[in-house]
Amino acid sequence: MLPPGFTFRPSDQDLVVHFLLRWIHGLQLCRNVVQEADVYAREPEALLRGRQKAYFFTTLKPSGRNLSQVARRAGRGTWTFNTSKQGDPIKLAVAGGYKVILWFKRHLSFHLDNAKNSTGFVMDEFALSNSYAPSNAKGRPGQKVLCVIRQTQRAINDAAKRKRRQLQTWSPPPTPAAGVRKVSNARLQKLQLLYIFRSMKRWGLTTSEEEAQLKDLMHDPQVDENHPTIKNMVAQFADRASQLDLIYHGSLS
């Protein structure tokens, strides 16, 4: 993590020289701003976990029986190429002189199966192309790459709509059958509040004070469904959920 007040905004050449090249050679990296992950094992939304942008190291895998092609399917969709270009050569000082590093930058977008348009998740994939790691424009299995995954505004808006729809359609569990212990109205109210809180926390829309307050409510048997704090928190979080799209448009702080 970076110290408070700092942001990670590397150039393409910074990513290639100071991160990808050092990772390939097993050298120490500065801080944990680029994580190792199997990018093609999970959908981008699961990798980002609510973040708008994230950096990953990954190793390309073969596509089924075709050991010469790269598997770019992830979950219910596939990463497809938009562009692929070779970056500007980089001169690195080495023992006895200089060495020229060549690299590729591949731009991809994520499409769900049978969907015409992109989901709004895009990725830049950086790879070396020289004696360190022979490559081509589309990569090769076993190649180590650095991936920058980010959400466009469309992906942010779609995720906000899904969250809002989930919160609005939430309903308590059905009445238990005879012989099954009934859950009190107060307990149901607390569970509803906990569900909403966890959804909000994933988006970074809660505070530590609210979390401490919720823990006290959940463990206090004297608190019933008419407790004003429960009603206020439910209304507050539901209102906050309905504002998700405005928050990511920058209209709210």
Side-chain angles (χ1 to χ4, degrees):
M1 299 296 292
L2 294 173
F6 287 82
T7 56
F8 186 56
R9 294 183 179 177
S11 66
D12 290 352
Q13 290 198 2
D14 287 337
L15 290 174
V16 171
V17 174
H18 299 295
F19 290 90
L20 178 58
L21 191 60
R22 295 183 68 84
W23 179 60
I24 288 175
H25 288 276
L27 301 176
Q28 185 176 1
L29 296 167
C30 58
R31 299 192 175 271
N32 189 30
V33 289
V34 183
Q35 307 167 359
E36 283 194 50
D38 189 349
V39 168
Y40 292 101
R42 288 183 289 171
E43 294 179 21
E45 188 171 13
L47 287 166
L48 290 179
R49 293 181 298 177
R51 295 169 292 180
Q52 189 168 350
K53 186 178 184 179
Y55 300 78
F56 301 97
F57 292 124
T58 196
T59 302
L60 302 182
K61 300 179 296 185
S63 176
R65 296 181 179 180
N66 192 336
L67 301 181
S68 63
Q69 289 187 356
V70 174
R72 298 196 179 275
R73 180 170 179 79
R76 299 169 298 154
T78 304
W79 286 100
T80 60
F81 280 99
N82 295 330
T83 59
S84 182
K85 64 179 181 179
Q86 187 165 305
D88 298 327
I90 304 172
K91 275 191 175 182
L92 293 180
V94 297
Y98 290 88
K99 187 171 187 66
V100 176
I101 301 296
L102 302 178
W103 52 282
F104 279 101
K105 179 180 180 180
R106 302 186 273 262
H107 184 66
L108 305 94
S109 58
F110 189 69
H111 293 255
L112 292 175
D113 295 342
N114 302 320
K116 182 178 179 180
N117 298 321
S118 167
T119 57
F121 290 94
V122 296
M123 174 167 64
D124 290 326
E125 185 184 271
F126 295 87
L128 296 183
S129 174
N130 58 13
S131 57
Y132 287 117
S135 180
N136 57 52
K138 292 189 176 181
R140 61 177 178 79
Q143 186 178 29
K144 294 182 179 295
V145 298
L146 189 156
C147 300
V148 184
I149 301 178
R150 62 185 182 278
Q151 303 183 62
T152 63
Q153 192 61 48
R154 174 182 174 179
I156 294 172
N157 293 343
D158 288 348
K161 290 177 182 177
R162 287 197 302 274
K163 288 294 178 185
R164 190 167 60 251
R165 200 157 47 237
Q166 289 173 5
L167 292 172
Q168 291 174 346
T169 58
W170 185 89
S171 59
T175 304
V180 178
R181 183 173 63 88
K182 293 185 178 181
V183 180
S184 67
N185 289 336
R187 182 61 179 168
L188 288 176
Q189 195 81 341
K190 289 179 181 180
L191 291 174
Q192 179 189 16
L193 180 57
L194 181 63
Y195 175 85
I196 296 175
F197 177 84
R198 287 176 174 172
S199 299
M200 293 295 94
K201 185 177 181 181
R202 182 179 177 186
W203 288 91
L205 299 177
T206 60
T207 65
S208 56
E209 290 79 7
E210 289 172 336
E211 185 168 11
Q213 187 180 30
L214 179 60
K215 286 182 179 179
D216 292 339
L217 288 173
M218 292 297 292
H219 294 93
D220 188 349
Q222 302 302 319
V223 174
D224 61 19
E225 66 271 18
N226 296 316
H227 195 283
T229 304
I230 284 187
K231 288 188 173 182
N232 289 340
M233 290 187 78
V234 169
Q236 182 181 5
F237 289 146
D239 180 67
R240 212 176 293 177
S242 68
Q243 301 298 323
L244 274 175
D245 51 344
L246 296 178
I247 290 172
Y248 281 98
H249 277 97
S251 298
L252 297 179
S253 58

